[in-house]
Each structure stands twice: as structure tokens, then as C-alpha cells.
Amino acid sequence: MFASIRRYRLRQGSMEELARRVDDGFAREISAQPGFVSYEFIDCGEGEVITLSIFREADEAEASRDLAQRWTEESLRDFEFSRIEALRGEILVSRAASDMLEPGHAGTGDKFASLRRYRLRTGSVAELMHVVDDVFAERIQRMEGFEAYHALDCGRSEIVSISLFSDQATAEESDERALEFIRDELGDLDIERSEVIGGRVTVSRALADLLEPAHV
């Protein structure tokens, strides 16, 4: 599977109205695209939004970027926001619970996400992902309120992981579990955590394909 992550800063307009339009319009369009697996709209607070789109193939994930740009231009003309960053990568490790298949709608979202970014200074990304697959993914899957976990290879030695839980406290706890895992299991690798971003998942859609684990 392949992921496309987009970060935006809302400068003018209501976040609640933005989420409602995404829920009523864009989420429906993207979930009908070939190869669609899942989509999340994450309100990170202070006007920042992260969207996560997962598709079966890289070109399908790339096409979702074009769809997002077209839909934004057509449907959000009365909003003012800028795209901060776009990330993409192959999901090498993934786990998901069946609760992820329940759609999340604006105003009723009850999932929380934590996105962590890492820079691997020495060592092999493949070696790192094998340990993540064998050890950390299994640990995090056993945490109460677990919804999903994805680990991406974004290229140039950057790794991104996304954890989704049913409550904010456990999502934040997963950040601490990740630090413990790096300290206890990855001592032979020089890895730096460069950023952690959290937020409420206000809109989500997923197909059953998401439940199929991804292994290195």
C-alpha cells in the first residue's frame, strides 16, 4: 500500500465548515477512486490539518493528490489556506482493527491520531522496518483503544508512522511507547525523532482492504 500525506494551514474560514464539506463531498469522491483503501482528515488544532490517503498502488495514491487539488479549487473558493507540506511513501508495516471500517463524520469523530517522523542517520531502513514489524506493531496493536498503525518509508532515510486510537490519552501514550521501543530495541541504529503531531480524526472512510496486515 502507498500513502499520500498532505498538511494544510487554514488561514480564513471555519474548521467545522471545512470538515463538513470534506465529509459531504471529498470523502465520497476519494473513496470511489480505483485502489482506494482509506482516508482520514485530522484536525491538529490552531488551523493545521493533516489528511492521510492510502491506496493500493503508488500511481493511485499520486492521482489522489490531483483529485484533492481539483476539488479544493472547485469547492473551497471561500476558504483561504496554504499547503504546508506533502509527504508520500510505501507502507511497509500496517495493522488495523475492524472499528476503522465505521465511517467517521464531521462533528462526531471519535478517533485520535499521532504522526511521528524519524530520520535514520545510520543503518538500514529495511532492518529497522523488520524490527518494527516483528516487535512494535504487535505491541501497539495490543493497546486498549487501538484502531490502526502504519509505518511508511518516505525515502531519503525518512520514516513516518501514524497511530490511530479511540481516545487522545492512548494516542499520546503511544508516543511514549515508541520512544521506549527505540531505546530498548533499536540501540544499534542511529535514529532521530524529528517531529510529533497529534489531532482528532474528524472525517474518515475505509474499506476492508485496510484490515489486511502489511509486512516487510
Side-chain angles (χ1 to χ4, degrees):
M1 295 187 294
F2 293 81
S4 175
I5 300 170
R6 296 177 285 273
R7 297 176 65 180
Y8 302 93
R9 176 74 64 189
L10 180 62
R11 303 189 183 281
Q12 179 177 309
S14 162
M15 181 66 74
E16 290 75 16
E17 174 63 15
L18 173 60
R20 187 194 65 78
R21 291 194 198 180
V22 169
D23 192 16
D24 292 343
F26 183 72
R28 183 179 64 253
E29 288 195 35
I30 195 170
S31 60
Q33 299 304 302
F36 173 81
V37 176
S38 69
Y39 171 80
E40 277 82 43
F41 177 99
I42 305 165
D43 178 359
C44 300
E46 298 183 352
E48 183 168 348
V49 172
I50 291 178
T51 64
L52 169 65
S53 305
I54 298 178
F55 284 81
R56 277 291 179 189
E57 303 295 337
D59 59 341
E60 295 166 339
E62 188 66 23
S64 76
R65 296 160 62 90
D66 297 333
L67 172 65
Q69 182 174 348
R70 177 184 60 76
W71 184 86
T72 297
E73 292 172 352
E74 294 176 353
S75 304
L76 300 178
R77 294 175 181 173
D78 52 336
F79 285 81
E80 181 182 336
F81 56 89
S82 56
R83 191 172 75 179
I84 302 171
E85 188 176 28
L87 301 168
R88 70 194 78 178
E90 183 177 3
I91 297 176
L92 299 181
V93 179
S94 180
R95 305 287 192 276
S98 58
D99 288 349
M100 285 295 295
L101 303 185
E102 185 69 25
H105 296 290
T108 62
D110 60 354
K111 296 180 177 69
F112 289 83
S114 177
L115 183 147
R116 298 178 287 268
R117 300 177 70 173
Y118 303 90
R119 179 72 61 185
L120 184 62
R121 299 187 182 279
T122 61
S124 161
V125 171
E127 177 188 357
L128 167 63
M129 288 294 191
H130 274 294
V131 183
V132 169
D133 194 12
D134 293 341
V135 180
F136 186 70
E138 300 303 317
R139 288 181 185 174
I140 201 168
Q141 191 173 12
R142 292 194 295 267
M143 293 179 67
E144 186 174 354
F146 171 82
E147 300 274 353
Y149 173 78
H150 311 296
L152 292 67
D153 177 4
C154 294
R156 292 178 290 186
S157 297
E158 182 171 19
I159 297 101
V160 172
S161 70
I162 302 105
S163 304
L164 293 101
F165 287 88
S166 60
D167 65 277
Q168 185 175 3
T170 314
E172 293 173 352
E173 182 185 346
S174 75
D175 296 336
E176 297 304 313
R177 296 281 187 97
L179 281 176
E180 293 173 3
F181 168 72
I182 291 172
R183 183 192 64 220
D184 297 341
E185 305 289 343
L186 301 177
D188 294 338
L189 300 176
D190 184 0
I191 183 169
E192 174 193 10
R193 189 160 84 175
S194 57
E195 189 175 24
V196 179
I197 311 168
R200 179 187 291 271
V201 179
T202 58
V203 179
S204 66
R205 302 288 190 277
L207 299 183
D209 290 356
L210 186 68
L211 303 183
E212 181 181 340
H215 300 285
V216 180

